[in-house]
Amino acid sequence: MAQASKARAPFAPWDRREIAGAFSVEETARRAGHYKWTEMKLFEALGGWIATVPELDVKMRLGTHCYKHAWHAELWHKRLPELREMNPDRLTVPANDAMVRFIDAMTEPEAPEQTIEKLVGVYRVLIPHFISAYTYHMNNTSEITDMPTIRSIKFILQDEFDDWRDGEMLLQSLIDTPEEADRAAAHQARLEKIMVEAGGITGPGSIGFQ
Amino acid sequence: MRKFMPASELARDERFSQITQRDRMADGRSTVVLNNDQNRRSNNRLTPQRGDASEAARALMHGIFVGEIQALEGAGRTCWDFTTGEEAPFALKLDMARQAWDEARHVEISCKLSDWMGAEIGQYAENTVLFEAACSDDPVLRLAGVNRALEGLAIDVFTTMKEFGEIAGDPYLEFCEDWMLADEVTHVKMGSDWLRKVTENDPERRKKALEFQNIVDKMFSYGGSRSESDESSLMIARRFRELAGFTDTEVDYIAEVSMQALNERKAQIAERQAAVASKN
């Protein structure tokens, strides 16, 4: 082993992290507030739907996923004061009115025959948008100054990918006929249009494009 | 999706048949058996020695299974029915979401256990009284009724089943019940903590919540099927209830109410038997 007192570079040769990042503290807090608001709306909806779906396997998955999104909301709630927002509720808001309309439309299906619509809204529209927004944030923020956000996003993304796969497989198992495929596609298109209007979970620029 | 959902609209597949508590208590195949009948047993505690132990354990396991489904639905609805901040604190809703996950695992465990014990989904009727207790429009009342009264009952049920598994030499059953018991103690403690916290400056609301808890406790003494008497199938798990935040006075009260329920049920059965005898 080399002498303990020998000078070493502060960053090892394999550590290529850069200080530069696309987001200020304020912008990071704004995005975190929108993530928290949307994760909250999602866990509340999943919780409410449990009693409305007759399929036992779907019921159990919704219960499991409900907690994961509540935990994501909690992570953002705890991150906000670290970003100088001492009143987290102030930033726990939707990105814009279109996001409110999106959540209203997503949570509209209630009847036991509408499991497909419930799952489409979450697993074919909202969660893919979460994956995109989180990925964009993780890949563009400073790997040194904002590492706590990156760490949270890495945990969250793991859940999002797992849950998306669960949801997509449930959907594939429930869609049996061309009519059901049409129903799923129609509902997805309806919701996607509202999401386009919103510009994504954090509004225009959710994934970089304005 | 609207807020607040009646128990009559709980979504189920074709295997399930739902009944009310009234239907259940009117069923002649009561779990309470009078000990003045020489041909029948005087000890109703669920033990492997009972002649009907397998069937009784399967029925109880199915009851646990449907109870877990309703507990899952109740916790989920509490996440949805109340506005965050205004009607229910954010942290309380996070706890309810956590409970939903726990209950979902309990449904999974109960399914596997039912299969292990030779029962099928829908083999027994589903009593929806548990979800009815989760329909209050005050989240504190829900916590008192569900987390303290019903999850408290779950502690008694799982303790009885765990012991049943231990005595019967069924490590699979014992293992599963022990894990579920750990979660239930957590849920009861959650209820105790939130009840204290939310009603800290509102003694009237606390009183109302505790009264509701007592009503649910009495209702869930299941006509005497849970008490400290051997005539009841289920025991009261004092030690685990203490861990979950119940005081000695509270457990004494539950024991007293359960004994009253047992005696009332016995009197009802005796009355019916006398009426039948007089007709003959």
Side-chain angles (χ1 to χ4, degrees):
Chain A
M1 198 176 87
Q3 275 185 338
S5 60
K6 188 183 173 191
R8 283 171 66 93
F11 293 91
W14 56 85
D15 185 350
R16 308 290 294 170
R17 288 175 299 141
E18 293 292 341
I19 201 95
F23 310 120
S24 64
V25 173
E26 287 75 16
E27 174 61 9
T28 305
R30 183 188 73 81
R31 284 175 184 258
H34 296 326
Y35 297 148
K36 184 192 157 193
W37 183 86
T38 315
E39 291 281 13
M40 275 175 64
K41 294 295 168 193
L42 178 52
F43 94 74
E44 291 170 357
L46 292 171
W49 272 330
I50 296 167
T52 72
V53 294
E55 299 88 355
L56 196 51
D57 54 341
V58 179
K59 214 179 257 298
M60 291 190 284
R61 282 303 88 204
L62 295 185
T64 305
H65 293 184
C66 170
Y67 171 66
K68 292 188 187 182
H69 296 288
W71 183 66
H72 302 165
E74 187 182 16
L75 286 177
W76 296 123
H77 180 76
K78 288 179 174 168
R79 182 71 179 131
L80 282 167
E82 298 165 358
L83 297 165
R84 290 199 299 263
E85 180 47 69
M86 297 310 159
N87 176 12
D89 290 345
R90 197 180 69 84
L91 290 184
T92 308
V93 290
N96 47 46
D97 290 347
M99 262 314 285
V100 177
R101 274 189 282 118
F102 173 83
I103 294 295
D104 287 346
M106 188 191 84
T107 56
E108 205 177 85
E110 178 175 4
E113 304 79 25
Q114 289 183 296
T115 302
I116 288 175
E117 282 78 2
K118 291 166 193 167
L119 297 183
V120 161
V122 174
Y123 300 101
R124 287 193 174 168
V125 186
L126 185 55
I127 287 190
H129 277 276
F130 258 131
I131 290 172
S132 309
Y134 283 143
T135 302
Y136 171 71
H137 195 144
M138 182 178 70
N139 290 349
N140 283 278
T141 197
S142 166
E143 293 170 287
I144 294 175
T145 61
D146 197 22
M147 200 57 198
T149 297
I150 292 178
R151 184 164 183 268
S152 289
I153 290 179
K154 281 184 174 170
F155 284 128
I156 293 170
L157 270 178
Q158 185 61 57
D159 282 344
E160 304 288 357
F161 282 119
D162 289 346
D163 294 359
W164 166 77
R165 182 174 47 226
D166 271 352
E168 179 56 32
M169 292 184 81
L170 286 172
L171 271 167
Q172 288 181 23
S173 71
L174 288 168
I175 297 171
D176 277 340
T177 63
E179 291 73 27
E180 285 167 343
D182 285 343
R183 257 174 63 195
H187 192 62
Q188 182 177 352
R190 180 185 163 219
L191 292 178
E192 189 64 46
K193 284 174 190 167
I194 309 175
M195 187 60 97
V196 166
E197 207 186 318
I201 285 165
T202 64
S206 288
I207 58 167
F209 294 103
Q210 288 295 326
Chain B
M1 174 171 42
R2 85 203 119 142
K3 305 276 182 185
F4 303 104
M5 180 182 177
S8 57
E9 290 182 26
L10 288 174
R12 294 286 180 274
D13 69 37
E14 61 194 4
R15 289 169 294 186
F16 292 80
S17 302
Q18 293 175 337
I19 56 167
T20 62
Q21 180 78 339
R22 188 185 290 265
D23 297 332
R24 186 182 186 279
M25 296 321 292
D27 189 336
R29 297 163 296 173
S30 168
T31 53
V32 175
V33 179
L34 287 183
N35 59 11
N36 58 4
D37 184 342
Q38 296 303 309
N39 297 321
R40 303 185 79 176
R41 61 184 185 272
S42 61
N43 186 335
N44 294 316
R45 182 84 5 119
L46 181 58
T47 61
Q49 287 76 36
R50 264 174 61 171
D52 63 344
S54 300
E55 181 58 20
R58 273 194 291 271
L60 181 57
M61 180 48 66
H62 197 275
I64 293 172
F65 163 64
V66 293
E68 296 296 355
I69 295 177
Q70 290 172 41
L72 162 62
E73 294 169 324
R77 289 305 295 191
T78 301
C79 294
W80 173 254
D81 288 342
F82 303 105
T83 309
T84 307
E86 293 159 33
E87 295 171 322
F90 175 57
L92 184 152
K93 291 177 78 166
L94 294 182
D95 276 350
M96 288 300 104
R98 170 59 198 231
Q99 191 169 326
W101 181 28
D102 296 346
E103 306 296 4
R105 290 199 315 281
H106 293 183
V107 177
E108 292 170 342
I109 296 166
S110 308
C111 271
K112 298 264 188 198
L113 274 177
S114 285
D115 189 47
W116 169 252
M117 293 165 80
E120 284 177 21
I121 292 173
Q123 187 174 336
Y124 305 89
E126 176 188 9
N127 181 345
T128 56
V129 69
L130 193 153
F131 188 81
E132 283 161 32
C135 289
S136 170
D137 58 4
D138 182 344
V140 176
L141 260 66
R142 282 196 192 183
L143 285 165
V146 177
N147 283 63
R148 301 203 86 223
L150 298 181
E151 301 280 318
L153 172 68
I155 288 179
D156 301 331
V157 172
F158 292 147
T159 304
T160 301
M161 278 301 251
K162 180 176 175 261
E163 284 190 17
F164 181 87
E166 200 179 336
I167 300 166
D170 184 342
Y172 189 65
L173 177 62
E174 193 191 340
F175 173 85
C176 293
E177 297 295 338
D178 199 33
W179 275 100
M180 291 202 281
L181 185 54
D183 290 336
E184 299 302 356
V185 170
T186 306
H187 299 163
V188 176
K189 191 168 182 317
M190 226 179 238
S192 303
D193 292 347
W194 277 114
L195 177 65
R196 231 184 337 265
K197 210 168 168 178
V198 176
T199 62
E200 202 171 8
N201 300 311
D202 192 346
E204 196 50 41
R205 196 176 177 199
R206 180 177 292 185
K207 192 173 156 229
K208 215 170 140 191
L210 289 172
E211 278 169 6
F212 182 63
Q213 180 190 325
N214 291 342
I215 291 168
V216 178
D217 260 326
K218 183 157 187 186
M219 206 159 76
F220 269 86
S221 290
Y222 270 155
S225 61
R226 178 264 310 264
S227 82
E228 290 187 316
S229 161
D230 281 348
E231 288 178 277
S232 297
S233 308
L234 308 170
M235 67 183 88
I236 293 175
R238 281 186 172 264
R239 193 170 75 81
F240 290 117
R241 279 179 171 271
E242 279 165 26
L243 281 177
F246 279 96
T247 63
D248 285 344
T249 316
E250 285 176 317
V251 181
D252 288 342
Y253 175 79
I254 292 163
E256 195 189 313
V257 162
S258 304
M259 194 54 80
Q260 272 173 18
L262 175 66
N263 290 332
E264 281 167 18
R265 182 72 177 141
K266 282 164 69 178
Q268 281 170 2
I269 294 171
E271 211 173 285
R272 275 189 216 150
Q273 285 176 341
V276 171
S278 70
K279 276 183 192 168
N280 297 332

